[in-house]
């Protein structure tokens, strides 16, 4: 039977009045849901003071936290490094490398948690301080869960060493004893301190027996009546069998030694060795692993998993991993005692003790505020070959799904989107498609950001996205009348239609101003001018001007004629080309051959035989201008600067190419 997830939490939007039906929703940029709240400009009395008219719900608000941003950046490097060394991981070195990666992730979480704690303490704003404190609790829970998963799924600790790992786990995450120890030992007479026995008991509960013995020696020095009892209890602590990492004894030998030690503790308790000192007697009961005695220290244990590890230490030190969930469930039931129901953290830890990886990931996805944790933990577990058989019903595997969900939140941020690219790159099934969809939604607020996005697309041969981005930038440049930039972007996009459009703008500006803008770009088009006929014409026409300026009239004339006869010049520009031919025709030396002159006349006839195009000057004016006598030029000017006049008028006009006198 299909299992359904629980309903998502309801987000209340202030100022909404559903009866008036004045609310609508729309997706904004950056994964935002924009909600219009109920208000009426005419009826100002309905407005509530301090209530926003627009309410924005972000999909993943944690990406906007400056401190958590460090978590995302640091973990990104670890993630990428893990993907790169995957091929090198084999045998024992593979396990050691994966454990090292896991510890690196945890160190990043802890560093972020400590920084967040400092902000919480220093911030004088109570509301913001509470927010920081809440985030510290979440980060602490994340490290707690990750550490347990590292022990059970990555270290795969066997019976014996398993308990040692669990003890370290508890000591790391239940650290109040260190502050208590500093407080007690800092007093003038530690054994008389009001928290002395709480400290000794807590040390015993965490298995820190050497430190507990040192504290008992202080009690023996100041209280001679209990010195003998302290010495006996200290000897019991010293002789307790523990499987150390470098010890070669077998589990059977450890169990036999531990059984003899346990019987000795029980004998001292039955003989009333500690009857005159309730504190020492209580500690002896703890060493025996008595459930009732442990539950009496409920306040010092603080949580059920601490109770579980202490209970195992003093009753089942060689517990097997497969039996762990039985003790975990009974410890949870005993500790809660039916007074309260398990919290989400309890359910996650219980799923881990049951070795149900998928349930751990599911519970974490529901409980935590962002996808960072489940995405990176799932990726690491996948490298441990623990999730290979689990595919989702819509075709993707769990690792990819969670990585892409996390990446989608990164793409909503103005700078973290660059991290999201790498996560998509390492999702072989759906990563490419997801990247294409997200990259198109990145707002190109600056040209520098656009260049970064473009570089990402070009490195991955995302042709359509490259064209789209270049076209967007080209359109912006055209709107800002930056024709050089627009032409550059259209060439980069290999967009012939847009290059034609921009080239027309260049030619139109030339006709209006009598000179070209962005000469450097036009002079260095190179092979790019072949993108479109109009761009080719623009580049060649500029080359004609360059040849004319260098007084290479024969080459200039040949090029000018080829521009007209090849049909790449727009017909609306033919008159300009014919006008440019006039200074060449009146040179002292013959520039145009007879055949070339006939070609010019044919072009003129073609132009005058048809109706003028929109925006073309009247053809009769052209004819009069070509035949009118009595004018002369002073200097070459292949432009449309010269005026149309008759032989009886006199006029002088100046442009970039010299002076025309009429």
């Amino acid at each position: 039977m299909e299992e359904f997830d629980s309903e998502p939490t309801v987000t209340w939007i202030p100022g909404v009045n559903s009866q008036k039906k004045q609310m609508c929703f729309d997706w904004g940029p950056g994964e935002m849901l924009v909600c219009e709240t109920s208000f009426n400009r005419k009826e100002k009395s309905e407005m509530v003071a301090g209530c926003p008219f627009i309410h924005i719900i972000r999909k993943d608000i944690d990406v906007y936290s400056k401190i958590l941003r460090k978590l995302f950046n640091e973990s990104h490097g670890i993630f990428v490094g893990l993907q790169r060394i995957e091929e090198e991981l084999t045998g024992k070195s593979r396990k050691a490398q994966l454990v090292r990666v896991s510890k690196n992730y945890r160190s990043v979480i802890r560093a972020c948690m400590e920084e967040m704690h400092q902000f919480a303490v220093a911030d004088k704003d109570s509301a913001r301080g509470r927010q920081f404190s809440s985030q510290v609790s979440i980060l602490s829970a994340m490290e707690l869960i990750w550490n347990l998963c590292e022990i059970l799924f990555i270290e795969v600790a066997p019976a014996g060493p398993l308990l040692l790992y669990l003890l370290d786990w508890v000591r790391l995450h239940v650290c109040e004893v260190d502050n208590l120890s500093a407080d007690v030992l800092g007093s003038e007479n530690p054994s008389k301190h009001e928290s002395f026995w709480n400290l000794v008991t807590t040390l015993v509960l965490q298995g820190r027996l050497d430190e507990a013995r040192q504290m008992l020696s202080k009690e023996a020095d100041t209280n001679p009546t209990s010195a003998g009892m302290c010495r006996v209890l200290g000897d019991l602590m010293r002789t307790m069998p523990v499987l150390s990492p470098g010890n070669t004894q077998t589990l059977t030998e450890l169990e036999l030694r531990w059984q003899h030690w346990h019987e000795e503790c029980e004998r001292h308790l039955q003989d009333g060795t500690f009857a005159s000192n309730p504190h020492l007697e209580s500690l002896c009961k703890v060493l025996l692993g008595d459930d009732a005695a442990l539950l009496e220290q409920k306040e010092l244990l603080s949580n059920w998993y601490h109770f579980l590890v202490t209970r195992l230490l003093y009753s089942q030190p060689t517990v097997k991993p497969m039996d762990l969930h039985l003790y975990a469930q009974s410890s949870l039931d005993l500790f809660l005692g039916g007074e309260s129901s398990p919290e989400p953290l309890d359910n996650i830890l219980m799923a881990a003790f049951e070795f149900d990886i998928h349930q751990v990931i599911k519970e974490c996805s529901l409980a935590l505020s962002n996808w960072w944790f489940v995405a990176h933990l799932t990726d690491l577990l996948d490298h441990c070959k623990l999730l290979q058989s689990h595919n989702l019903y819509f075709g993707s595997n769990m690792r990819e799904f969670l990585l892409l969900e996390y990446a989608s939140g990164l793409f909503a941020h103005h700078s973290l989107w660059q991290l999201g690219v790498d996560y998509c790159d390492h999702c072989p099934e759906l990563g490419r498609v997801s990247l294409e969809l997200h990259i198109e939604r990145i707002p190109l607020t600056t040209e520098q950001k656009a260049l970064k996005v473009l570089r990402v697309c070009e490195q991955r041969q995302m042709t359509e996205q490259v064209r789209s981005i270049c076209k967007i930038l080209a359109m912006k440049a055209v709107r800002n009348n930056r024709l050089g930039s627009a032409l550059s972007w259209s060439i980069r996009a290999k967009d012939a239609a847009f290059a034609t459009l921009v080239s027309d703008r260049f030619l139109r500006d030339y006709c209006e101003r009598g000179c070209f803008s962005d000469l450097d770009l036009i002079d260095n088009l190179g092979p790019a001018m072949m993108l479109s006929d109009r761009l080719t014409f623009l580049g060649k026409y500029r080359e004609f001007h360059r040849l004319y300026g260098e007084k290479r009239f024969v080459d200039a004339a040949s090029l000018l004629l080829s521009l007209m006869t090849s049909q790449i010049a727009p017909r609306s520009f033919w008159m300009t080309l014919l006008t440019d031919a006039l200074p060449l025709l009146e040179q002292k030396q013959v520039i145009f051959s007879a055949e070339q002159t006939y070609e010019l006349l044919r072009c003129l006839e073609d132009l005058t035989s048809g109706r003028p195009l929109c925006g073309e000057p009247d053809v009769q004016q052209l004819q009069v201008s070509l035949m009118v006598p009595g004018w002369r030029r002073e200097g070459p000017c292949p432009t449309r600067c010269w005026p149309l006049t008759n032989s009886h008028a006199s006029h002088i006009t100046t442009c970039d190419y010299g002076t025309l006198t009429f």
Side-chain angles (χ1 to χ4, degrees):
M1 187 174 180
E2 186 178 0
E3 181 183 1
F4 293 96
D5 292 334
S6 58
E7 289 294 325
T9 57
V10 177
T11 301
W12 294 102
I13 303 174
V16 171
N17 187 344
S18 58
Q19 295 179 352
K20 292 196 172 185
K21 299 180 180 179
Q22 288 183 300
M23 184 179 66
C24 63
F25 301 89
D26 192 16
W27 285 107
E31 302 288 342
M32 296 188 304
L33 185 64
V34 182
C35 312
E36 180 184 357
T37 57
S38 176
F39 70 98
N40 190 332
R41 293 186 178 180
K42 295 181 179 179
E43 301 176 11
K44 295 185 178 180
S45 60
E46 292 188 7
M47 296 184 183
V48 181
C51 176
F53 294 153
I54 298 295
H55 195 80
I56 298 175
I57 303 173
R58 292 189 183 273
K59 180 180 179 181
D60 192 350
I61 198 171
D62 286 343
V63 298
Y64 298 93
S65 168
K66 292 183 179 180
I67 301 175
L68 291 180
R69 206 174 304 164
K70 296 180 181 179
L71 173 67
F72 302 147
N73 280 310
E74 293 293 331
S75 58
H76 164 262
I78 301 172
F79 170 82
V80 173
L82 175 59
Q83 315 310 310
R84 290 174 179 170
I85 65 173
E86 168 62 23
E87 297 179 359
E88 305 172 6
L89 300 180
T90 56
K92 294 182 179 180
S93 64
R94 177 185 183 85
K95 178 180 176 180
Q97 287 274 32
L98 292 173
V99 171
R100 181 181 60 80
V101 170
S102 179
K103 292 182 183 298
N104 288 341
Y105 275 125
R106 288 200 295 113
S107 66
V108 171
I109 298 175
R110 179 159 287 274
C112 187
M113 180 176 62
E114 291 175 355
E115 185 175 357
M116 189 76 75
H117 177 70
Q118 293 175 1
F119 272 88
V121 173
D123 203 311
K124 298 180 180 179
D125 186 346
S126 58
R128 197 161 50 229
R130 286 193 300 270
Q131 184 179 0
F132 284 138
S133 298
S134 174
Q135 195 66 58
V136 169
S137 301
I138 294 173
L139 290 171
S140 178
M142 287 165 60
E143 191 198 357
L144 178 74
I145 299 166
W146 192 299
N147 196 354
L148 181 60
C149 291
E150 178 185 303
I151 294 169
L152 300 179
F153 304 133
I154 304 174
E155 286 276 10
V156 197
L162 174 61
L163 185 59
L164 298 179
Y165 285 117
L166 292 176
L167 276 173
D168 290 337
W169 175 59
V170 166
R171 292 167 185 170
L172 179 63
H173 298 283
V174 183
C175 52
E176 293 83 358
V177 63
D178 295 323
N179 295 330
L180 183 61
S181 177
D183 188 26
V184 172
L185 294 176
S187 61
E188 295 181 1
N189 192 348
S191 62
K192 300 299 181 181
H193 195 279
E194 58 181 359
S195 300
F196 174 79
W197 288 109
N198 283 345
L199 174 60
V200 177
T201 305
T202 304
L203 291 172
V204 173
L205 293 174
Q206 289 194 6
R208 299 163 67 168
L209 298 182
D210 290 338
E211 297 174 61
R213 286 172 49 224
Q214 293 176 5
M215 300 304 296
L216 288 178
S217 65
K218 297 182 181 299
E219 168 67 12
D221 293 340
T222 58
N223 192 354
T225 58
S226 59
M229 292 181 286
C230 289
R231 185 177 62 257
V232 173
L233 187 61
D235 288 340
L236 291 176
M237 294 179 183
R238 179 177 55 81
T239 57
M240 177 182 175
V242 178
L243 183 64
S244 58
N247 201 330
T248 58
Q249 63 181 335
T250 63
L251 289 180
T252 303
E253 294 173 344
L254 176 65
E255 289 175 350
L256 288 174
R257 290 182 56 206
W258 184 86
Q259 190 63 37
H260 290 306
W261 174 83
H262 190 271
E263 291 173 356
E264 185 178 0
C265 291
E266 191 171 3
R267 179 175 58 80
H268 280 293
L269 187 63
Q270 292 176 354
D271 292 346
T273 305
F274 312 108
S276 60
N277 192 320
H279 294 295
L280 296 177
E281 186 177 34
S282 176
L283 289 175
C284 186
K285 291 180 180 180
V286 169
L287 293 179
L288 285 170
D290 183 73
D291 288 343
L294 290 174
L295 289 174
E296 287 179 2
Q297 311 300 332
K298 193 172 182 178
E299 291 185 2
L300 298 179
L301 289 167
S302 71
N303 52 64
W304 68 270
Y305 48 88
H306 188 185
F307 170 61
L308 163 67
V309 176
T310 304
R311 188 183 176 205
L312 291 174
L313 175 63
Y314 296 117
S315 61
Q316 296 291 335
T318 58
V319 61
K320 297 178 181 179
M322 65 182 66
D323 298 328
L324 199 57
H325 72 281
L326 299 175
Y327 295 102
Q329 187 62 58
S330 62
S331 298
L332 177 63
D333 295 338
L334 286 172
F335 195 83
L336 296 181
E339 298 176 0
S340 59
S341 57
E343 298 288 337
L345 177 61
D346 301 331
N347 295 330
I348 295 170
L349 296 178
M350 186 56 64
F353 284 124
E354 293 173 353
F355 288 87
D356 190 345
I357 298 175
H358 304 125
Q359 189 63 25
V360 170
I361 295 172
K362 178 180 176 180
E363 294 287 346
C364 289
S365 300
L366 294 173
L368 298 177
S369 59
N370 62 68
W371 293 102
W372 178 89
F373 180 85
V374 290
H376 291 86
L377 178 61
T378 303
D379 175 66
L380 183 57
L381 295 177
D382 186 74
H383 282 85
C384 296
K385 311 298 182 184
L386 298 174
L387 298 172
Q388 302 301 327
S389 61
H390 191 78
N391 290 321
L392 304 179
Y393 68 88
F394 46 80
S396 177
N397 59 53
M398 182 180 290
R399 172 188 174 272
E400 277 208 12
F401 172 78
L402 294 174
L403 285 176
L404 294 177
E405 283 295 317
Y406 170 64
S408 68
L410 296 177
F411 275 106
H413 193 267
H414 64 88
S415 63
L416 292 179
W417 65 268
Q418 298 173 83
L419 307 183
V421 172
D422 286 331
Y423 288 95
C424 291
D425 282 345
H426 292 99
C427 294
E429 292 185 25
L430 300 177
R432 170 80 178 203
V433 176
S434 179
L435 178 59
E436 290 175 352
L437 293 174
H438 282 298
I439 210 79
E440 293 174 349
R441 293 177 172 85
I442 297 176
L444 306 177
T445 51
T446 64
E447 189 164 322
Q448 182 180 6
K449 185 175 181 180
L451 288 171
K452 290 181 180 180
V453 177
L454 197 60
R455 193 177 304 114
V456 168
C457 296
E458 289 176 339
Q459 289 171 351
R460 290 155 183 80
Q461 289 80 46
M462 298 166 61
T463 309
E464 290 301 320
Q465 284 69 30
V466 169
R467 292 187 61 185
S468 176
I469 293 169
C470 290
K471 196 165 184 177
I472 291 172
L473 296 172
M475 288 295 294
K476 287 183 177 180
V478 167
R479 284 196 293 267
N480 295 325
N481 203 32
R482 295 166 54 226
L483 297 183
S485 178
L487 183 59
S488 176
W489 285 119
S490 61
I491 292 173
R492 192 166 182 175
K494 295 180 173 59
D495 190 329
F498 204 87
T500 299
L501 174 66
V502 178
S503 299
D504 281 337
R505 285 287 301 271
F506 265 104
L507 295 174
R508 189 175 71 187
D509 281 3
Y510 167 76
C511 292
E512 293 174 354
R513 299 166 51 193
C515 60
F516 282 114
S517 60
D518 299 287
L519 287 180
D520 288 342
L521 175 63
I522 301 175
D523 287 342
N524 294 282
L525 285 174
M529 72 169 62
M530 305 304 295
L531 182 61
S532 75
D533 288 347
R534 196 60 47 83
L535 186 57
T536 303
F537 171 74
L538 176 64
K540 290 298 182 180
Y541 186 58
R542 170 55 193 161
E543 185 180 349
F544 161 74
H545 279 269
R546 183 175 55 80
L547 293 173
Y548 197 104
E550 295 172 359
K551 299 186 182 301
R552 297 166 59 185
F553 297 136
V554 175
D555 293 336
S558 177
L559 179 56
L560 181 65
L561 187 62
S562 67
L563 289 178
M564 297 189 66
T565 57
S566 63
Q567 303 296 322
I568 65 171
R571 193 175 178 212
S572 60
F573 208 76
W574 278 19
M575 190 184 75
T576 303
L577 297 178
L578 289 170
T579 304
D580 290 336
L582 292 177
L584 296 172
L585 287 170
E586 65 175 3
Q587 293 292 326
K588 292 180 179 180
Q589 69 272 27
V590 177
I591 304 299
F592 287 105
S593 66
E595 183 179 352
Q596 289 176 326
T597 305
Y598 279 119
E599 286 293 330
L600 285 176
L601 290 173
R602 185 182 62 79
C603 292
L604 175 61
E605 184 178 356
D606 290 342
L607 180 62
T608 57
S609 62
R611 297 179 60 186
L613 299 178
C614 181
E616 282 187 346
D618 185 56
V619 177
Q620 295 299 323
Q621 280 191 335
L622 176 63
Q623 292 175 321
V624 172
S625 301
L626 290 174
M627 294 183 294
V628 66
W631 56 267
R632 68 184 185 280
R633 292 179 189 271
E634 295 180 3
C637 181
T639 70
R640 298 179 61 185
C641 299
W642 56 275
L644 299 172
T645 184
N646 55 39
S647 58
H648 302 290
S650 179
H651 187 76
I652 298 177
T653 182
T654 304
C655 69
D656 293 341
Y657 292 90
T659 304
L660 305 180
T661 305
F662 300 90

